[in-house]
Amino acid sequence: MTDNSGNVLLALLTGAAIGAGIGILYAPDKGIETRHKIKRKVEDTSHDLAERISHAKEELTKTAQEKKDVFDRKLDEAISTMSYKADDIIASLEHKLEELKKKNAQLQK
């Protein structure tokens, strides 16, 4: 769910809850019946919001885990690439050192 559609959905749910509350308050019921209806609506809305929050949390956790896995994979690839480059550099330096040793040996003769 995108951030924008989540905001729209939350606004619709809030509007529906407010509308239901106002409708119940203006309904020609006894006070106790009105309070029971309000209590049920609040409980229903609370339950619905709790489910939506739980779902959003699960989606966020899933997305975070996917991003972590991608990061870990890219980090491993970068370390592997750097390791190969380091091996190439070491081999090149060792080759240069051997050449310098040979030149030094020739100069000391």
Side-chain angles (χ1 to χ4, degrees):
M1 183 183 326
T2 65
D3 188 38
N4 191 29
S5 64
N7 289 339
V8 170
L9 184 60
L10 183 60
L12 288 173
L13 284 173
T14 303
I18 291 171
I22 291 173
I24 290 171
L25 288 174
Y26 283 104
D29 286 333
K30 294 181 181 177
I32 188 118
E33 291 175 16
T34 302
R35 286 191 294 275
H36 285 300
K37 285 182 182 180
I38 291 172
K39 182 179 178 183
R40 278 195 305 269
K41 287 291 183 183
V42 167
E43 288 172 351
D44 291 344
T45 303
S46 295
H47 179 68
D48 188 45
L49 286 175
E51 285 180 357
R52 292 184 186 281
I53 289 171
S54 175
H55 178 69
K57 179 182 173 186
E58 290 171 4
E59 288 296 316
L60 182 61
T61 301
K62 178 182 169 186
T63 301
Q65 185 61 44
E66 289 171 356
K67 296 294 182 184
K68 180 188 175 295
D69 292 344
V70 168
F71 174 78
D72 287 345
R73 188 175 63 250
K74 287 184 178 181
L75 180 62
D76 288 343
E77 289 171 1
I79 290 171
S80 177
T81 301
M82 290 169 40
S83 175
Y84 287 127
K85 288 183 180 181
D87 289 342
D88 290 344
I89 291 170
I90 290 171
S92 176
L93 289 173
E94 287 174 344
H95 178 71
K96 293 285 185 186
L97 181 61
E98 288 299 319
E99 288 177 359
L100 288 173
K101 284 181 180 179
K102 287 178 184 176
K103 286 182 183 179
N104 188 29
Q106 288 176 353
L107 291 174
Q108 291 192 8
K109 287 185 183 178

